[in-house]
Amino acid sequence: MNTFFNKNFTIEEYHKGLREKKFSVFEAIKEFFIYTQKEDVKIGAFLEFYKDEELDRAQELDLQLDKIEKLSPLFGVPIAIKDNILINKHRTTSASKILKNYIASYDATVIKKLKEQNVVFLGKTNLDEFAMGSSTENSAFQLTRNPLDISRVPGGSSGGSAAAVAANMSLGALGSDTGGSIRQPAGFCGVVGLKPTYGAVSRYGLMSLASSLDQIGPLAKTVKDTATIFKAISGWDQMDSTSAQIDYSSVDNFENVNVKDLVIGVPKEYFVDGMSDEVKKAIDESIGNLRRDGFKIKEISLPHTKYALSCYYIILPAECSANLARYDGIKYSAPDELKGEDMKLLETYLKNRGSAIGEEPRRRILLGSFVLSSGYYDAYYSKAQKVRRLILNDFLKAFDKSQDGVDVIMAPVTPTTAFKIGEKSDDPLSMYLSDIFTIPTNLAGLPAVSLPTSGDFKEGKLPVNFQIIGKHFDEKTILALGNYYEKNYGQLS
Ligand code: GLN
């Protein structure tokens, strides 16, 4: 039954196969666990597998199968979940030693929604500790390798989720994107990833990194599969006060959008020095493809782009220094090393936070405490908030129809393709630079889909993704254009 494990086997195909009774949920899921557990020995995408319980659930789903008239599009579909999203009664670590023994006591809203759709959870995927990083090398537990070239990183921080999909170990996955952590690993691994509009998907049950930037979103092999997962997880949630009351039912018809009428903006600030020739060539080709197809392509300017990275590295540390204060090694379980030690309270805090929280989170906690401290707050934090507004205004102006604005923006996802393991781990600044094109979208709260410029990864060619950025809550249009591009130029090989 190895037809499951190739690039062309999608959620759509799985659904069809199930309806046509080509396989049962149990048969499929059993194959997935056999394949995935074997394959993952060389990739390291998963931190944990849920084999026994999910095989039981697969059997239960088969019993329901005949009774259900209309199967949900995700019925019985194997999905992998980034390990910063809570699944009730399961370990959730955010790839940090300080949470090594933490067992979640409730389901994140996205998990509840996927359970209602009868999704099967293969297990939890690796990430950079607390989602801080761009290569998944910051995980306290293991390295994840890029399935297309195992000497390279899969990107991050949702590197485990992207690698799981790219290696055909899972048909889809959830990640989280605070500054690019869905789109960048999707790009390094050549899969599709969607960062939804801020507020489109509930963050309840997502371990917070920077609450004003975080969004959960899907990764999958095709735009259509990505849209299917997005539809399942989006919508208002009373448990998240930042979730928006938006009716997403029209996303169902995203394939019917008349994309040819769209005006596409290409921001000149996204073609900077330091961008590799390989990426530039691939992006230019994609733009050329659409231009030849009759799309109206317009150069636009987003003048404050150059401040985005500095602005992000003030706002993110500020918010994360507050969010991570809760991890003291007492609440949310104690790390193994310190269990049973008899220490004074302050000593316990210092020891736990000093040894069980990794270098990168510590760096950001320090930076965040600094920019929020009295005397520096105005110079850094409140200045960064103002710059954030200017970055948003750039986008709003670019989309403003009364000023001859565009419908969507097309841009690269990363300045380079996947780098070698270890290449940037000692140089945080150069690591931060790999998010230069993804961060502005988070600061502005806009949706963006990252998809391959070409499906041809043969002969050692590494994937290059581009992103389509849309107006707030206009996922439908970016998915429609992404789908058009993929159907015409993203042929899988
Ligand atoms: N790589 C970025 C960072 O380290 C993005 C993180 C994210 O999106 N979770 O902050």
Side-chain angles (χ1 to χ4, degrees):
M1 241 197 257
N2 53 13
T3 50
F4 288 143
F5 308 110
N6 63 66
K7 281 263 167 267
N8 296 313
F9 191 78
T10 57
I11 293 178
E12 214 180 335
E13 288 294 314
Y14 184 97
H15 188 69
K16 199 159 143 245
L18 210 55
R19 265 189 344 235
E20 291 170 359
K21 299 202 181 313
K22 290 205 174 120
F23 48 82
S24 68
V25 180
F26 181 78
E27 282 164 349
I29 297 301
K30 197 170 139 217
E31 289 295 320
F32 264 94
F33 275 113
I34 294 172
Y35 179 84
T36 300
Q37 285 186 306
K38 192 161 158 260
E39 194 68 11
D40 202 43
V41 174
K42 69 168 188 281
I43 306 294
F46 283 84
L47 290 173
E48 200 175 347
F49 288 104
Y50 297 161
K51 187 171 174 195
D52 293 344
E53 68 176 280
E54 291 300 277
L55 280 177
D56 287 350
R57 231 164 67 76
Q59 259 170 337
E60 280 166 30
L61 291 179
D62 279 328
L63 294 177
Q64 289 176 32
L65 197 56
D66 291 333
K67 295 185 213 130
I68 300 176
E69 228 163 77
K70 195 168 178 295
L71 281 189
S72 88
L74 292 175
F75 189 95
V77 170
I79 300 275
I81 306 292
K82 185 175 181 179
D83 199 26
N84 58 353
I85 298 173
L86 306 192
I87 302 186
N88 193 19
K89 301 198 175 83
H90 286 281
R91 190 191 315 279
T92 307
T93 65
S94 240
S96 180
K97 266 202 247 161
I98 203 156
L99 290 177
K100 199 171 154 209
N101 299 311
Y102 171 62
I103 309 289
S105 54
Y106 65 95
D107 277 329
T109 298
V110 289
I111 298 298
K112 221 168 106 204
K113 288 188 178 228
L114 291 181
K115 281 184 176 170
E116 280 159 14
Q117 298 254 336
N118 293 307
V119 157
V120 171
F121 300 109
L122 290 174
K124 285 300 196 63
T125 55
N126 198 19
L127 64 151
D128 287 297
E129 186 173 357
F130 291 113
M132 298 181 197
S134 309
S135 64
T136 312
E137 291 165 296
N138 290 342
S139 165
F141 303 128
Q142 68 192 36
L143 204 63
T144 299
R145 293 173 183 279
N146 190 320
L148 302 171
D149 175 349
I150 58 170
S151 69
R152 292 176 191 271
V153 302
S157 64
S158 313
S161 289
V165 176
N168 302 312
M169 296 191 282
S170 180
L171 293 181
L174 291 189
S176 64
D177 192 314
T178 304
S181 280
I182 290 175
R183 288 162 290 156
Q184 188 258 22
F188 278 10
C189 293
V191 298
V192 181
L194 172 72
K195 178 238 171 261
T197 309
Y198 184 75
V201 175
S202 169
R203 292 181 296 110
Y204 181 66
L206 168 71
M207 288 178 176
S208 304
L209 168 53
S211 314
S212 75
L213 300 160
D214 299 339
Q215 265 296 282
I216 298 175
L219 295 106
K221 293 179 191 173
T222 60
V223 173
K224 186 158 188 192
D225 284 0
T226 307
T228 303
I229 304 176
F230 170 68
K231 276 182 280 177
I233 61 173
S234 54
W236 180 73
D237 177 22
Q238 64 166 351
M239 303 306 283
D240 175 359
S241 60
T242 59
S243 99
Q245 304 236 15
I246 297 282
D247 178 11
Y248 268 111
S249 53
S250 75
V251 176
D252 280 333
N253 303 319
F254 82 95
E255 285 166 289
N256 303 332
V257 174
N258 185 8
V259 288
K260 284 288 176 78
D261 289 343
L262 297 175
V263 181
I264 303 172
V266 177
K268 59 174 191 239
E269 291 80 4
Y270 280 58
F271 293 83
V272 290
D273 289 347
M275 186 163 165
S276 77
D277 291 344
E278 212 179 341
V279 171
K280 179 150 187 345
K281 189 164 162 268
I283 303 289
D284 284 346
E285 259 171 38
S286 310
I287 296 171
N289 288 338
L290 291 174
R291 187 174 281 127
R292 257 196 323 280
D293 287 355
F295 283 89
K296 204 166 158 218
I297 314 259
K298 232 177 103 176
E299 187 183 87
I300 58 164
S301 174
L302 300 169
H304 296 93
T305 302
K306 57 177 176 289
Y307 304 117
L309 202 62
S310 345
C311 175
Y312 174 85
Y313 276 101
I314 291 173
I315 291 174
L316 178 133
E319 293 187 22
C320 95
S321 70
N323 278 327
L324 267 64
R326 72 192 70 170
Y327 305 118
D328 54 14
I330 298 175
K331 297 194 284 291
Y332 309 103
S333 79
D336 287 339
E337 299 82 345
L338 299 168
K339 262 190 182 165
E341 274 199 45
D342 187 14
M343 285 186 290
K344 296 217 172 63
L345 192 60
L346 182 62
E347 204 186 325
T348 312
Y349 285 159
L350 290 175
K351 199 147 182 195
N352 282 339
R353 285 176 67 82
S355 67
I357 291 187
E359 212 170 273
E360 184 60 29
R362 267 188 283 152
R363 189 164 22 239
R364 297 195 194 191
I365 291 169
L366 285 172
L367 198 59
S369 312
F370 174 74
V371 299
L372 289 177
S373 60
S374 128
Y376 292 105
Y377 186 95
D378 285 335
Y380 295 107
Y381 185 70
S382 63
K383 185 65 117 333
Q385 291 291 14
K386 289 175 192 157
V387 175
R388 180 176 189 173
R389 180 70 215 194
L390 295 175
I391 291 167
L392 169 63
N393 287 350
D394 282 355
F395 280 110
L396 295 179
K397 187 163 169 232
F399 286 135
D400 185 354
K401 278 285 166 194
S402 71
Q403 297 189 49
D404 206 17
V406 298
D407 297 297
V408 294
I409 293 171
M410 191 165 162
V413 174
T414 48
T416 66
T417 50
F419 44 86
K420 292 264 183 196
I421 291 170
E423 193 180 316
K424 294 183 197 262
S425 29
D426 296 328
D427 185 357
L429 264 186
S430 106
M431 189 77 92
Y432 294 172
L433 279 170
S434 53
D435 302 316
I436 193 159
F437 301 141
T438 47
I439 277 173
T441 327
N442 297 77
L443 290 168
L446 297 165
V449 61
S450 159
L451 69 148
T453 50
S454 147
D456 178 15
F457 309 143
K458 277 192 230 127
E459 288 150 24
K461 254 180 39 191
L462 289 167
V464 176
N465 275 25
F466 68 93
Q467 56 180 334
I468 307 168
I469 304 168
K471 298 175 188 161
H472 289 120
F473 302 107
D474 194 13
E475 276 79 357
K476 185 176 172 179
T477 306
I478 58 173
L479 290 167
L481 181 58
N483 188 50
Y484 170 90
Y485 187 91
E486 183 184 85
K487 290 252 149 67
N488 290 285
Y489 302 103
Q491 299 91 342
L492 303 170
S493 55

